[in-house]
Amino acid sequence: MSTPAGFDELIHPATRLSVVALLAATQWADFAFVRDSLSLSDSALSKQLHTLEAAGYLELQKEGGGRKRRTRVRLTDRGRTAFEGHVAALRAIVEGAGAPVNSEAPAERRHRSGAGR
């Protein structure tokens, strides 16, 4: 199976995907909101934000100074496009996996069909 168009290796790791998904739902978000929403440490979030910023996927805006310094973050148009493409690629992978998943446990299917008797 080939990788579908739009699949983004940079966004795909779970933490980055969570950050981008959260930011896709808003225009701007405070650093503290993102950190707390995703249960990340300051340093872990900072590292992910800087990686995404270096790729041009998000913009960081620092306001104020000293103890009143506030960092806000938003997806750029490039980041939003990359996220939407990645989500579409993930959907294509799931849809290409075959028939819908049956939610019954295997034992329940065997029992109902008479298998195992």
Side-chain angles (χ1 to χ4, degrees), residues 36-109:
D36 295 346
S37 294
L38 301 178
S39 300
L40 296 172
S41 67
D42 286 356
S43 62
L45 177 57
S46 182
K47 179 180 177 184
Q48 301 306 324
L49 293 180
H50 288 293
T51 298
L52 292 164
E53 181 184 35
Y57 287 1
L58 58 82
E59 176 185 351
L60 293 172
Q61 184 179 73
K62 296 184 185 275
E63 300 171 343
R67 297 183 66 76
K68 299 278 186 181
R69 187 168 192 118
R70 186 173 109 172
T71 300
R72 295 178 355 131
V73 60
R74 75 171 186 93
L75 280 182
T76 60
D77 290 341
R78 180 178 179 177
R80 193 169 298 279
T81 299
F83 174 67
E84 290 168 357
H86 189 67
V87 169
L90 292 175
R91 285 190 177 122
I93 290 169
V94 170
E95 290 168 2
V101 176
N102 188 336
S103 62
E104 284 184 301
E108 292 171 352
R109 286 194 300 269

